[in-house]
Amino acid sequence: MSMYDIIKHKRDGRELTPEELTEFVAGFSEGSIPDYQAAALCMAIFYQGMTSRETARFTWEMAVSGDMIDLSAIPGTTVDKHSTGGVGDKTTFVCGPIVASCGVPVAKMSGRGLGHTGGTLDKLESIPGLSIELANERFFEIVREIGIAVIGQSANLVPADKKLYALRDVTATVDSVPLIASSIMSKKIAAGSDCILLDVKCGSGAFMKTPEAAIELAQEMVAIGTQVGRRCAALITDMDQPLGMAIGNSLEVIEALDVLKGKGPADLTRICVELAANMLVLAEVDELPECRRLAQAQIDNGHAFEKFEQMVAAQGGDTRVLHDTSLFAQPQLQRVVSATSDGWIYSMDTELCGRASVELGAGRRTKEESIDYAAGIVLQAKTGSHVAAGDPIATLYASHERQLDEAAELLTQAIVISQEQPVVPPHFFARVTEQGVETYDEA
Ligand code: URA
C-alpha cells in the first residue's frame, strides 16, 4: 500500500489498519516517507480523528520506534506520573518521594520546559551538582537501592514522536486529541513503568482549556495505556491559575521542599497528597482513603523529605541546599508588582504568568538559550484574594532590569482585579479510570 492511499483513507474518514499504521510510523522514522506526506496525514487525523483502537496501535508503533526501557530489574510494581504541563507544577518532587517512601519504586524519565511551561529536569538541575544524565544501569541501581530516581529521556526514546512533534508544531496539528494522546503515551509506555498516573491540566495555562476537553484527552490516554497492558488512571486538575505560589526553577524546588517539610501552601500540599495517593492506588497499596492518609503521614513523619534527600545525594546533588535554601544560586535583582486598584483577584491568565517567568530567564525562548535558575516569580496573591491598591501581588526575580520591565508588564496584564468576587475553581474536576469518569471526591 502507498502513503498516498493511507492519507486518502484517513481523509475519507476510514479507520487505518494496523499494517497501515506500522508502515507510516516505520517509513516516517527511517525517512522514506517525506515530511509533506506525514503532514498531510496529521491534518487528516486532525479533522477525522482516530478510533481508540487506531490510537492505541499508532501509539505502540511510535513507542517501539526507539528504546523500550526494561524496568524488570527493579523489584516491585513501578509507578510513573505525568503532567500534561502547566505553570508552577512542582508536584513530582513531592509525590515521587512520598510514593517511594511507601516502598513503591518510581523510575522517572522527565522532560525540559516547553513554551510557557516549566520542565522537571530544569528545576532539578537548579540543585547544585545534581545530574539528570545517568546511564540506564546507574538509574536502575539507584531505584533498586533507594526507590526513586528522576533522569532525562534517553536520546533514542520514541524518535518517531520527536520527528512528528517537530512537524506538528509547524503545521498547526499539535492540538488534536489522538495526536497529543499518542505522543504523550508513547513516551510513557517506552519509559517502562507498570502503572501510569496522568495529571491532565485544564484552564488558561494548559493545552486543554476546559474540563470537558481535558476529560476527553484523559479518556483517550487511559484507554491507550490499558490496551497496551499498563495500569492507568488520570486526574483532571486545575491550571486556571499557577500551582502554588512559586514559578521558576530553584524557587519551585524550594516550595516543594516546604511541602515535604510540612510547611508548604495548603492547596499545593493537598494536590501533591492526592496525586501520590492515586499513584499508590494504582500500585494496589490500598484503597484511596487509606492511601491518602498514608501519603500525608509520609510528609508528617519526614520520610518523604528523607527520600528526596537520598535521591538528590544519589544523583550527585549538594544536599546542604535542602536544609539551607539560601545556598541555592541567588537572584541579582528583584521587583515587587503591586495591585493597581482595590478589589478581588478575579482571574489569572496562567499562560501569560508562564511567559512572564520565561522573560525573567526561568525558561528558554529558543532551544539554545540557557536558564537562570534563580529567576522567577513568587506570588503573594491568587484568584480569590482580596487586595488594596498598592498591596504587593508578586515579587519578580531576574538578572537584568529589562527582564523585570517586560515581565512586570506581562504579569500586570495577566492578573485581573475586579469589584466582583470570583468563583475559585476546584483543584480537581474528575478522575478517569478504565471504568469511566467520576466526579472527584476530595473529602
Ligand atoms: N506533550 C507531548 O509530549 N506531546 C504533545 O503532543 C503535546 C504535549
Side-chain angles (χ1 to χ4, degrees), residues 82-85 114 153 161 165 168 173-187 207-208 217:
H82 178 80
S83 158
T84 56
L114 192 67
Q153 285 166 7
D161 176 65
Y165 190 89
R168 287 167 54 212
T173 51
V174 167
D175 42 359
S176 145
V177 167
L179 291 178
I180 297 175
S182 54
S183 165
I184 293 174
M185 290 305 289
S186 59
K187 287 172 283 204
F207 261 111
M208 298 291 145
L217 178 63

Side-chain angles (χ1 to χ4, degrees), residues 147-271:
I148 180 168
V150 181
I151 63 166
Q153 285 166 7
S154 65
N156 198 35
L157 197 87
V158 197
D161 176 65
K162 270 196 198 99
K163 212 173 156 191
L164 198 63
Y165 190 89
L167 190 65
R168 287 167 54 212
D169 204 20
V170 292
T171 55
T173 51
V174 167
D175 42 359
S176 145
V177 167
L179 291 178
I180 297 175
S182 54
S183 165
I184 293 174
M185 290 305 289
S186 59
K187 287 172 283 204
K188 291 288 111 183
I189 290 162
S193 286
D194 302 309
C195 309
I196 305 162
L197 179 72
L198 299 156
D199 178 7
V200 182
K201 305 284 185 200
C202 66
S204 59
F207 261 111
M208 298 291 145
K209 303 296 177 202
T210 64
E212 294 72 27
I215 289 172
E216 189 190 347
L217 178 63
Q219 284 178 300
E220 195 71 62
M221 291 197 289
V222 169
I224 295 170
T226 309
Q227 284 185 60
V228 303
R230 307 293 164 93
R231 270 185 241 154
C232 219
L235 296 186
I236 311 301
T237 68
D238 179 54
M239 191 39 72
D240 216 28
Q241 55 179 328
L243 193 47
M245 305 305 267
I247 309 167
N249 299 284
S250 61
L251 294 171
E252 292 190 38
V253 174
I254 292 168
E255 192 173 42
L257 287 168
D258 282 345
V259 176
L260 286 168
K261 292 172 187 169
K263 51 179 191 177
D267 59 345
L268 178 61
T269 304
R270 185 76 188 268
I271 289 163

Side-chain angles (χ1 to χ4, degrees), residues 336-340 345 378-381 387 391-395 411 415 417:
V336 172
V337 175
S338 304
T340 46
I345 306 278
V378 174
L379 298 167
Q380 273 95 37
V387 292
D391 278 355
I393 49 176
T395 308
L411 205 67
I415 299 179
I417 300 176

Side-chain angles (χ1 to χ4, degrees), residues 68-82:
M68 293 287 278
I69 309 296
D70 176 6
L71 297 180
S72 59
I74 298 168
T77 303
T78 46
V79 186
D80 197 354
K81 174 192 81 72
H82 178 80

